[in-house]
């Protein structure tokens, strides 16, 4: 029977388990559990499954089904794992395995930003120009030729794509070895001498085309390349917790994005 979108397979858990942060204890102190001293610690797998459930379904943390245990405990562990860099490490591990098994498609990469509402966010938010100035946030992503996410940067919705090129390229989780040929596709929002200079600084050949020019080029027989970044945004939107940002802190929102990026990679590798 096929697993539901939020269920964690044994194969996926085998990738996740070694990265789970361990509880720190004083080696010189002896710990003994007292009778009636509350519940036993939650299992790491159950906590991870609960986090994936929230990410996939978009429910509030406090609305977690009772089968996952205490919702406050799950959220507390999520914050601890976030602070330990667990979600970024999982994404990094997924990219390493993807590179080993299939090879990251460095030759044709794409960059783009997408806005979302952020009614309760307290960091990295700004007036959304497409939503009557209400609070919004923006995710800027870089993907390889198959749509696998290589970089994610979060800003306020009022930050223009062209201002974030350097941050996106600088924050790639994995980088190519040697003098790998890299082309970078972008829409007209990335036009400008400074933007192209940044792309070249990171050893990219810029391909910045307005939609109209793209259509003409395709009619002349050229292959469409930039569309894959829009597909990647649509993949992220299938994680309903990302459709509207309710996470107050930037770190928590980035952690959810990193987990989604990891799931996309491991699904491509057949580990989910």
């Amino acid at each position: 029977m096929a697993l539901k979108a939020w269920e964690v397979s044994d194969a996926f858990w085998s990738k996740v388990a070694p990265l789970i942060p361990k509880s720190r204890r004083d080696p010189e102190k002896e710990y003994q559990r007292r009778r009636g001293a509350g519940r036993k610690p939650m299992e790491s797998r159950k906590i991870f499954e609960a986090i994936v459930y929230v990410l996939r379904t978009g429910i509030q943390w406090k609305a977690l089904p009772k089968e996952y245990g205490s919702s406050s405990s799950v959220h507390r562990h999520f914050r601890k794992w976030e602070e330990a860099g667990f979600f970024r490490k999982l994404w990094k591990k997924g990219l390493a395995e993807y590179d080993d098994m299939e090879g990251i498609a460095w030759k044709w990469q794409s960059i783009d930003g997408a806005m979302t509402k952020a009614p309760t966010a307290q960091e990295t938010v700004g007036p959304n120009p497409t939503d009557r100035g209400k609070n919004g946030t923006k995710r800027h992503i870089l993907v390889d030729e198959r749509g696998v996410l290589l970089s994610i940067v979060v800003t306020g919705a009022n930050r223009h794509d062209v201002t974030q090129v350097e941050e996106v390229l600088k924050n790639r989780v994995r980088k190519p070895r040697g003098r790998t040929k890299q082309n970078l596709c972008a829409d007209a929002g990335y036009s400008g001498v400074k933007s192209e200079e940044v792309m070249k600084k990171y050893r990219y050949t810029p391909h910045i085309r307005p939609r109209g020019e793209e259509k003409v080029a395709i009619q002349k027989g050229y292959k469409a390349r930039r569309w894959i970044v829009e597909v990647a945004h649509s993949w992220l939107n299938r994680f309903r917790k990302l459709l509207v940002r309710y996470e107050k802190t930037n770190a928590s929102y980035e952690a959810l994005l990193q987990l989604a990026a990891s799931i996309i990679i491991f699904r491509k590798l057949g580990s989910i």
Side-chain angles (χ1 to χ4, degrees):
M1 188 172 69
L3 291 175
K4 294 177 182 177
W6 54 81
E7 292 180 327
V8 176
S9 67
D10 291 339
F12 186 29
W13 177 245
S14 70
K15 309 291 184 183
V16 174
L19 300 179
I20 296 291
K22 302 292 188 294
S23 298
R24 293 181 182 178
R25 292 198 167 197
D26 187 343
E28 297 182 1
K29 186 177 179 181
E30 185 176 340
Y31 293 86
Q32 187 173 3
R33 185 178 176 79
R34 301 193 310 274
R35 271 185 154 182
R39 301 174 182 174
K40 291 182 179 179
M42 296 179 71
E43 295 179 6
S44 295
R45 181 166 181 171
K46 182 66 72 175
I47 295 166
F48 183 72
E49 288 176 340
I51 294 169
V52 173
Y53 184 88
V54 169
L55 177 64
R56 277 293 193 181
T57 64
I59 65 167
Q60 296 178 22
W61 289 97
K62 62 183 179 183
L64 263 171
K66 291 182 180 179
E67 65 192 82
Y68 291 107
S70 166
S71 58
S72 59
S73 293
V74 169
H75 189 250
R76 186 166 60 251
H77 277 89
F78 167 71
R79 292 299 304 273
K80 284 183 179 179
W81 292 2
E82 160 207 308
E83 290 170 5
F86 161 71
F87 299 101
R88 185 177 176 85
K89 289 174 185 174
L90 182 61
W91 179 19
K92 191 173 183 178
K93 180 177 183 177
L95 276 175
E97 292 197 15
Y98 168 64
D99 202 9
D100 289 341
M101 294 177 68
E102 294 191 23
I104 293 174
W106 299 108
K107 188 174 181 180
W108 289 98
Q109 297 170 49
S110 298
I111 187 172
D112 196 18
M115 287 181 284
T116 185
K117 296 179 180 180
T120 59
Q122 296 177 353
E123 297 175 352
T124 55
V125 290
N128 188 337
T130 65
D131 191 26
R132 295 175 293 177
K134 294 180 180 178
N135 257 1
T137 198
K138 197 171 193 177
R139 63 180 184 238
H140 307 261
I141 65 173
L142 175 76
V143 302
D144 81 344
E145 194 173 345
R146 304 185 193 101
V148 169
L149 287 96
L150 305 172
S151 179
I152 303 170
V153 170
V154 177
T155 67
N158 57 329
R159 299 301 300 275
H160 197 281
D161 292 339
V162 75
T163 66
Q164 300 304 309
V165 176
E166 179 133 28
E167 281 300 305
V168 173
L169 299 184
K170 184 173 66 177
N171 285 286
R172 289 171 293 176
V173 174
R174 194 170 180 86
K175 299 170 185 176
R177 300 185 186 95
R179 304 295 296 180
T180 304
K181 183 174 176 58
Q182 298 182 95
N183 295 283
L184 185 55
C185 300
D187 63 20
Y190 292 87
S191 298
V193 174
K194 187 175 180 180
S195 176
E196 293 193 23
E197 286 177 351
V198 171
M199 293 177 185
K200 290 174 183 176
K201 171 184 169 182
Y202 287 90
R203 297 193 289 109
Y204 285 94
T205 300
H207 297 270
I208 303 171
R209 298 285 184 273
R211 292 179 188 273
E213 279 188 25
E214 283 184 337
K215 290 179 181 178
V216 172
I218 292 167
Q219 289 169 0
K220 290 182 178 179
Y222 291 95
K223 186 174 180 180
R225 301 281 186 185
R226 194 184 59 80
W227 62 274
I228 192 63
V229 72
E230 295 177 358
V231 173
H233 276 301
S234 72
W235 289 341
L236 290 173
N237 286 339
R238 293 178 188 176
F239 297 86
R240 297 184 66 83
K241 194 67 172 172
L242 302 178
L243 281 173
V244 177
R245 175 186 166 183
Y246 287 104
E247 307 311 307
K248 293 180 180 179
T249 67
N250 186 57
S252 291
Y253 184 59
E254 284 188 339
L256 292 173
L257 284 165
Q258 290 162 3
L259 177 55
S262 305
I263 291 172
I264 289 169
I265 295 169
F266 283 112
R267 186 171 291 282
K268 275 187 174 291
L269 295 176
S271 300
I272 295 180

